[in-house]
Amino acid sequence: MTEGKPTHSPVDRPTVNLALTGASGAPYGLRLLQCLLAAGCRVHFMISKAAQVVVATETDLSLPGSPDAMQAFLSKHYGAEPDQLLVFGREDWFAPPASGSGSRAPLVICPCSTGTLSALATGASNNLIERAGDVALKERRPLILVPREAPYSEVHLDNMLRLTRMGAVIMPASPGFYHHPESVADMVDFIVARILDHLDLPQDLMPRWGAERVSRKLAGQSKPKTD
């Protein structure tokens, strides 16, 4: 992200709903959380029990079990401002993402397990994350799903097709290599940058495709012509 943290009043601070489910790829979701907070967004954060196990397996973080303790831990870990990060439990049906009359915020599920794909594709709402996805679909709000599985079965592909037709954006965690990544963090940032782009949030994690070529052409046009 750019240097310095944008300042937003509590009134104009953009809100993003972010959920982590039990697919491999916890570093994507945690890096996205870090970038959203650094961009000055308010984040409504949801995490499944399976995702907590994945976080402990794939990272050096050990998240507290209760929503309040997790909120305090993540706020301190990522330097969030007071009330910028709100963590909701799996059955907190009074959380804003649980209702169409809540704040009209986009929802990102990163990573998104194939079980969550199935629940959303069939209209199940057995927990807050699934309900939040159901609300995003019925209210036609931005919904970005980041599955991390290989290979995909016909069931997975059918569910992704159904969700795409409903208006969701399916963004598999498949990083590119044309930017010559030098670390795992660079590959994580590739996907996080694409998510931020779809949320219309500024990012400098990854250079724009063609930006260098445009800069060279503009620089060439600015040079005076010589005989």
Side-chain angles (χ1 to χ4, degrees):
M1 302 297 292
T2 54
E3 292 296 327
K5 191 171 183 177
T7 57
H8 297 278
S9 71
V11 175
D12 66 7
R13 189 189 299 278
T15 299
V16 176
N17 298 326
L18 173 61
L20 275 66
T21 59
S24 179
Y28 291 111
L30 294 174
R31 177 61 165 152
L32 178 58
L33 173 61
Q34 179 184 20
C35 290
L36 291 173
L37 294 172
C41 297
R42 171 181 286 111
V43 180
H44 293 162
F45 186 76
M46 298 160 281
I47 184 169
S48 70
K49 290 183 178 179
Q52 288 184 254
V53 175
V54 175
V55 167
T57 302
E58 297 184 342
T59 76
D60 58 1
L61 293 183
S62 180
L63 300 178
S66 75
D68 288 345
M70 189 184 304
Q71 179 174 306
F73 174 84
L74 290 172
S75 295
K76 181 178 180 180
H77 185 74
Y78 291 121
E81 298 175 13
D83 300 323
Q84 187 183 3
L85 173 63
L86 302 177
V87 177
F88 297 102
R90 59 178 278 110
E91 295 183 349
D92 189 348
W93 306 117
F94 289 98
S99 174
S101 59
S103 60
R104 293 190 59 81
L107 171 62
V108 183
I109 303 181
C110 175
C112 181
S113 68
T114 54
T116 302
L117 281 176
S118 176
L120 297 181
T122 56
S125 297
N126 296 313
N127 56 55
L128 178 59
I129 295 174
E130 293 172 4
R131 173 58 183 169
D134 192 45
V135 168
L137 289 169
K138 78 182 185 69
E139 298 291 329
R140 305 296 193 268
R141 297 175 186 172
L143 173 60
I144 301 173
L145 306 175
V146 186
R148 211 301 313 158
E149 187 62 83
Y152 291 119
S153 73
E154 182 177 353
V155 172
H156 303 152
L157 295 170
D158 281 344
N159 287 334
M160 285 189 274
L161 179 59
R162 292 183 67 183
L163 288 164
T164 296
R165 288 172 172 168
M166 293 179 200
V169 173
I170 307 296
M171 191 181 299
S174 304
F177 293 89
Y178 54 80
H179 64 307
H180 303 291
E182 297 179 354
S183 66
V184 173
D186 288 342
M187 292 188 286
V188 169
D189 280 354
F190 181 96
I191 297 300
V192 172
R194 298 292 289 124
I195 298 171
L196 294 171
D197 285 343
H198 277 261
L199 293 172
D200 291 324
L201 292 172
Q203 61 84 16
D204 58 7
L205 301 178
M206 183 181 69
R208 298 288 180 188
W209 178 262
E212 184 178 348
R213 179 173 175 81
V214 170
S215 297
R216 288 200 304 267
K217 289 180 70 68
L218 291 175
Q221 292 173 2
S222 65
K223 293 179 180 178
K225 294 182 179 181
T226 57
D227 294 332

